[in-house]
Amino acid sequence: MTQSLANNNFLRISQGEFRSATKVFARKRIKLGPALLAFEGGFLSIESGEATAVMHAEGEWHGRAIFSAEILRALATVPPPGDPIPVAYANGHLLIGTMTIPCQWNVVSEAFLHNVSNPGLLDLLALERTVARAELRGAGLGTKMRSAREKAERRIRNAAAQLAELEILPADIWELVEARIALRMRRGQ
C-alpha cells in the first residue's frame, strides 16, 4: 500500500444512520463473529456472524478491516458521540468516533481474485476479506463464499463441541482460523 493510500482512509457517517444500522449487533441472542468493515460505492458495510449493517458514508477507503465482535457489540450498544461519526484507519488501528480499535487490515486486491482458479474453503474465506463485493458477484463467487462461511462456522461449532471438555471455546478456534486466513492472504497477494 502506498503512503498516500494509507493517509486517505477516512469516512464520515451520520450518527442517526450509524445508530439505526448497527443496532442489529446489540441484540442479545445474535451470534457474532469477527467483524468485517468495508466501503464500496458510498456505502459502509459491517458484517459479523449472521448480521450485516449497511449505511451511507462519505470519504475515501482502500481496504477492509477485521476487528473484534465484542468491540462491535459495544459500539452498537453505546454508539460514539459526535455527528458525523468519523471512521479512519492507520497503522493497524481503526478509529470509530473516539474509540481506537486494533484491527487486521487487508488491501483490496483484484489480482488475488484473478489468481485463484479453484478456490478452497480457506481461499474463499480469504477472498471475502480482500475483494470488493461487486467483483465477487461478477466472478460468480458470492454464493460460494456464503457457503464457505457457513461451512466454516459449522465446522468450528462441531470442533468446539468435541473439545468442550478441554475448555476450548469457539472463539479459540476462530482465532486459529483467522491466523490461517491471514497467512493465506499474505501468500496470495
Side-chain angles (χ1 to χ4, degrees):
M1 175 167 51
T2 65
Q3 187 63 27
S4 64
L5 290 181
N7 294 331
N8 290 330
N9 291 300
F10 182 80
L11 302 171
R12 290 168 303 285
I13 305 145
S14 83
Q15 187 183 60
E17 187 150 3
F18 185 88
R19 282 179 185 270
S20 176
T22 59
K23 66 182 170 185
V24 67
F25 302 117
R27 293 181 188 153
K28 293 194 188 292
R29 293 190 179 133
I30 192 163
K31 294 179 186 177
L32 298 179
L36 170 66
L37 183 143
F39 177 71
E40 295 176 43
F43 291 95
L44 175 71
S45 66
I46 303 174
E47 299 175 23
S48 180
E50 54 193 39
T52 300
V54 179
M55 58 205 92
H56 291 281
E58 295 178 353
E60 193 173 340
W61 200 257
H62 300 283
R64 293 171 182 260
I66 301 167
F67 61 99
S68 162
E70 289 79 19
I71 292 173
L72 176 59
R73 192 179 302 273
L75 284 167
T77 304
V78 181
D83 194 17
I85 295 172
V87 176
Y89 169 79
N91 302 322
H93 291 84
L94 275 177
L95 172 73
I96 300 179
T98 56
M99 182 181 276
T100 302
I101 305 162
C103 72
Q104 176 186 339
W105 179 258
N106 302 303
V107 176
V108 177
S109 172
E110 291 178 38
F112 189 47
L113 176 64
H114 296 297
N115 290 337
V116 178
S117 58
N118 188 15
L121 180 60
L122 202 53
D123 295 319
L124 289 166
L125 294 171
L127 281 170
E128 180 178 40
R129 292 156 190 221
T130 59
V131 180
R133 298 279 186 264
E135 292 176 43
L136 293 169
R137 281 190 295 274
L141 291 175
T143 303
K144 285 184 180 181
M145 286 184 28
R146 243 186 333 277
S147 295
R149 188 177 341 112
E150 291 167 0
K151 185 177 189 177
E153 289 169 358
R154 275 192 313 275
R155 287 185 176 180
I156 288 169
R157 278 194 307 271
N158 291 340
Q162 298 271 335
L163 298 170
E165 281 186 81
L166 299 173
E167 298 179 5
I168 295 175
L169 303 172
D172 299 325
I173 299 168
W174 266 115
E175 196 173 304
L176 291 170
V177 171
E178 291 297 326
R180 297 301 285 178
I181 292 169
L183 180 62
R184 179 61 52 100
M185 289 186 325
R186 281 194 300 275
R187 288 180 183 163
Q189 289 179 332

